Amino acid sequence: METESGSGQSWKGIRDAGSACELIDRSVLLQWKDMRSLKRELSEFDQVRIMQHFARMLCANSQNRLYAEIVMESILIWISYSVKESQVLAFFDQLFAEEGHDQASRIFAEVALTSEVTDHDHDEILYSTGVAITCELGLAIRRREATEPGTFRNAREVADHITTYLLSVSNSSNNCIRLSLLHYFGRICSGMQDKSSFNRIMNRFGHTVLDHLFSSLFHKKSEAISLQYLLENLPYIFESEAHCQKILHETFKYYMLKKPDRFSLFIQTLSEKISEDPKYDGHEVRKVLLQHLAALFKVVAEVNHKLLAGDILVAMKHFNKEPYLQQLTEQLMITPGIRPAFREFLKHLGQNNSGRFSEHIIAHLRSPKRGRKPSFSRAENIGTLEQVSFLGSFDLAKAS
């Protein structure tokens, strides 16, 4: 790919959106080295205007492959350096408002996922950003069709086209890409009978990506964003096939025994969120989470870990209004190998009409040496793009 320099101008020294838009019109490729000064000199308003102009020009010139490649590389450099959800949303809003938005969206996915970039020093980050943005584009098209039917031309066909391209990159070992794909396929398959695409990516890299997420969860610098990603995306795994549940159970079991206190805190947080969220009323997600908690209870009963048993029962208590809890408790009571002391704990879980069990039992099970109530750091309202960018590039070895 060649870039045009026109009268010798480049992005270096640009201080207003108008000048930047002229360079976009003339297909002058943005350079990574120029982003630092651009971010410093340009206001947020001007940066949004530039993203909107990228969208306009991509739609106007989607038939020109060379121009599309130059614009797309510039877009990927900008987003990779900036990682601002608001600017990406502004880009999508403008793209959807233009004539030719359907063809431009197809080209967006094709170029982002198949074309080589000229910036070889940053090709990996540009490629992973391309996958992440394509995932966001596909989800944005589906949202638009769901909320404003008919306003996006050929929405179903374009969304399916994007999905096909995204499946083709699922062999990647890049964590940013894997996290993006897990979220994308989890979202599009949620509530659907056919979850084959989500099951496929889970079978390809489920173990690895979950291990990365839980390792990040138990590191102070990354726990907040890892927690948010897990809380938002684990329900998609709860909806998936039996083999995916096995992958998740093995991960849960490993980190429960390796980091019992912090894992217990995570289980409480997850259970509280899912039990209180009305969208899971009567949903399979609650039932499957309870099944996971029951399976973990069996593990701690086998190793005679009473403190963990107490924490798991506390997590199960969040679902005391669920009819399935009583059935599950009865199944655990007759499970071979459960020690008598643990059967006694379960008996309290199943007592009285509400399914509550005595607080003094929990007080007895939990260690008085744990001190003040622990908690995770929180990072609310961090968008998926920012989550995968941070978690995918977070190096645990360097951070430790």
Side-chain angles (χ1 to χ4, degrees):
M1 184 193 303
E2 303 236 342
T3 63
E4 298 178 15
S5 59
S7 60
Q9 281 189 312
S10 72
W11 287 80
K12 184 178 181 180
I14 292 296
R15 296 185 178 181
D16 62 87
S19 299
C21 291
E22 289 179 11
L23 295 181
I24 297 170
D25 293 345
R26 293 175 31 237
S27 68
V28 177
L29 179 65
L30 174 62
Q31 303 291 324
W32 185 279
K33 62 184 179 182
D34 295 329
M35 279 301 303
R36 183 176 181 180
S37 62
L38 288 170
K39 294 293 291 179
R40 184 178 63 247
E41 297 292 340
L42 296 171
S43 67
E44 179 64 22
F45 178 74
D46 275 351
Q47 291 179 47
V48 168
R49 284 182 58 198
I50 291 168
M51 291 302 295
Q52 292 170 329
H53 196 66
F54 274 133
R56 280 191 290 269
M57 296 308 292
L58 183 63
C59 287
N61 297 277
S62 60
Q63 302 295 335
N64 183 335
R65 181 72 180 207
L66 177 60
Y67 183 88
E69 289 180 356
I70 294 171
V71 169
M72 277 302 305
E73 183 168 347
S74 296
I75 292 169
L76 294 180
I77 288 173
W78 189 289
I79 295 173
S80 296
Y81 194 96
S82 178
V83 196
K84 279 203 172 180
E85 210 89 19
S86 58
Q87 295 180 11
V88 174
L89 293 177
F91 174 86
F92 289 157
D93 286 343
Q94 189 64 48
L95 184 77
F96 297 166
E98 298 293 319
E99 279 294 320
H101 54 257
D102 54 336
Q103 177 62 19
S105 297
R106 289 174 180 268
I107 293 298
F108 186 105
E110 292 173 15
V111 174
L113 303 184
T114 65
S115 294
E116 292 187 10
V117 296
T118 61
D119 187 348
H120 299 299
D121 291 337
H122 301 95
D123 55 356
E124 185 174 355
I125 188 174
L126 296 180
Y127 184 59
S128 63
T129 297
V131 174
I133 297 302
T134 302
C135 288
E136 293 301 301
L137 174 62
L139 293 174
I141 292 171
R142 290 170 186 272
R143 283 195 302 271
R144 174 60 66 96
E145 182 60 15
T147 57
E148 303 176 50
T151 58
F152 190 101
R153 192 183 300 113
N154 303 315
R156 179 63 182 271
E157 292 83 356
V158 176
D160 288 346
H161 180 77
I162 288 173
T163 296
T164 300
Y165 268 86
L166 288 171
L167 271 175
S168 71
V169 304
S170 59
N171 283 326
S172 172
S173 60
N174 182 289
N175 278 324
C176 288
I177 292 174
R178 289 177 166 182
L179 291 166
S180 297
L181 294 178
L182 180 66
H183 176 73
Y184 176 80
F185 286 105
R187 283 281 298 274
I188 69 169
C189 293
S190 181
M192 305 291 287
Q193 286 291 328
D194 181 11
K195 300 183 186 297
S196 56
S197 55
F198 182 73
N199 293 331
R200 180 176 168 184
I201 66 156
M202 276 295 295
N203 289 333
R204 283 186 174 177
F205 55 72
H207 273 296
T208 308
V209 78
L210 285 172
D211 183 65
H212 179 75
L213 284 166
F214 276 93
S215 296
S216 302
L217 178 67
F218 301 126
H219 194 289
K220 197 65 180 174
K221 293 181 180 179
S222 53
E223 67 176 22
I225 297 179
S226 183
L227 177 65
Q228 185 181 350
Y229 184 94
L230 284 165
L231 292 178
E232 291 175 3
N233 291 279
L234 278 180
Y236 303 139
I237 302 179
F238 292 147
E239 292 183 50
S240 59
E241 68 176 10
H243 183 65
C244 298
Q245 304 309 324
K246 183 178 179 181
I247 292 172
L248 184 56
H249 171 70
E250 291 299 320
T251 305
F252 278 171
K253 181 172 72 171
Y254 176 79
Y255 282 97
M256 177 181 69
L257 298 176
K258 182 180 180 181
K259 300 277 189 179
D261 283 353
R262 299 300 284 176
F263 182 84
S264 293
L265 178 59
F266 167 71
I267 283 296
Q268 305 304 325
T269 307
L270 176 65
S271 298
E272 182 177 358
K273 180 182 185 299
I274 290 181
S275 67
E276 293 179 353
D277 193 330
K279 73 181 177 185
Y280 297 123
D281 287 345
H283 201 287
E284 185 77 4
V285 163
R286 287 184 181 170
K287 182 177 180 180
V288 175
L289 174 54
L290 275 169
Q291 289 172 340
H292 276 286
L293 293 173
L296 294 176
F297 184 86
K298 291 179 187 178
V299 173
V300 299
E302 288 174 5
V303 298
N304 200 28
H305 200 313
K306 293 182 180 179
L307 292 176
L308 275 173
D311 288 335
I312 292 170
L313 291 180
V314 171
M316 294 175 76
K317 184 186 175 186
H318 286 292
F319 301 95
N320 55 37
K321 295 181 181 179
E322 295 290 320
Y324 181 65
L325 179 60
Q326 182 67 31
Q327 178 186 341
L328 191 61
T329 305
E330 292 171 358
Q331 290 174 355
L332 281 172
M333 289 284 290
I334 61 174
T335 299
I338 299 290
R339 299 168 190 263
F342 290 85
R343 291 185 194 276
E344 190 67 22
F345 303 153
L346 288 168
K347 196 179 297 183
H348 286 278
L349 178 61
Q351 280 180 351
N352 71 49
N353 294 332
S354 66
R356 294 183 179 87
F357 57 104
S358 303
E359 292 296 338
H360 76 272
I361 294 294
I362 297 306
H364 171 71
L365 290 171
R366 308 188 84 172
S367 171
K369 297 180 180 179
R370 291 190 178 185
R372 67 180 181 84
K373 185 178 179 181
S375 63
F376 281 113
S377 301
R378 293 297 188 111
E380 301 295 342
N381 301 319
I382 301 296
T384 303
L385 177 64
E386 295 170 49
Q387 291 175 36
V388 301
S389 176
F390 177 84
L391 293 171
S393 58
F394 186 72
D395 191 327
L396 287 162
K398 291 182 179 179
S400 297

